[in-house]
Amino acid sequence: MTRQSGQTPEQAQWQAEYDAQRARQHRRLVDAFQIWSFCPRKGCRRLRSCRNERPTLCLNAFFEAMPEEIKQYARLVLTARTGGASPTEADRIARERMIAVDGRTPFDDL
């Protein structure tokens, strides 16, 4: 745990716990999207799981390369899921909103 200037020990402890939780969440997303499958790190591909100490870097690189309409769909699904929707319901909500705005979903051509 590294303490930044001006932080109390309690704040530093909270920050360390928050950062660890965030890394676990990002690692789960990397694993769920199977981002490890095209990771340049051989260990990630071999273990079929993110082994990077900073999985946020992998997640950010993945989203940078993702087409904008897929990003929008993912944001809408995450928003719906955060609001308590089931995965199926979140997919339906996201698709309906994309159709209302763009007249199509990113999956229409598949």
Side-chain angles (χ1 to χ4, degrees):
M1 169 175 68
T2 58
R3 190 169 147 194
Q4 296 176 0
S5 102
Q7 275 189 330
T8 66
E10 293 80 16
Q11 289 171 327
Q13 177 66 31
W14 182 89
Q15 187 67 52
E17 290 171 4
Y18 175 81
D19 291 344
Q21 175 63 23
R22 199 78 169 143
R24 284 190 297 273
Q25 290 172 338
H26 289 175
R27 185 167 282 109
R28 281 194 297 267
L29 282 171
V30 168
D31 290 348
F33 288 126
Q34 297 182 359
I35 296 170
W36 49 260
S37 66
F38 53 88
C39 181
R41 296 167 163 257
K42 291 180 183 178
C44 296
R45 291 192 313 268
R46 183 174 46 252
L47 296 173
R48 295 177 173 246
S49 179
C50 180
R51 304 286 25 117
N52 193 336
E53 291 179 16
R54 297 175 58 200
T56 302
L57 298 175
C58 299
L59 195 60
N60 289 344
F62 175 71
F63 280 107
E64 278 294 317
M66 183 184 287
E68 191 57 41
E69 60 185 1
I70 301 291
K71 288 182 197 177
Q72 183 60 28
Y73 171 79
R75 287 184 195 109
L76 290 168
V77 167
L78 290 172
T79 300
R81 292 285 289 146
T82 302
S86 70
T88 303
E89 184 70 10
D91 174 64
R92 184 189 62 73
I93 290 168
R95 287 174 187 259
E96 285 177 358
R97 288 188 182 162
M98 291 192 83
I99 289 170
V101 172
D102 299 330
R104 63 184 301 277
T105 71
F107 312 108
D108 288 347
D109 298 332
L110 299 179

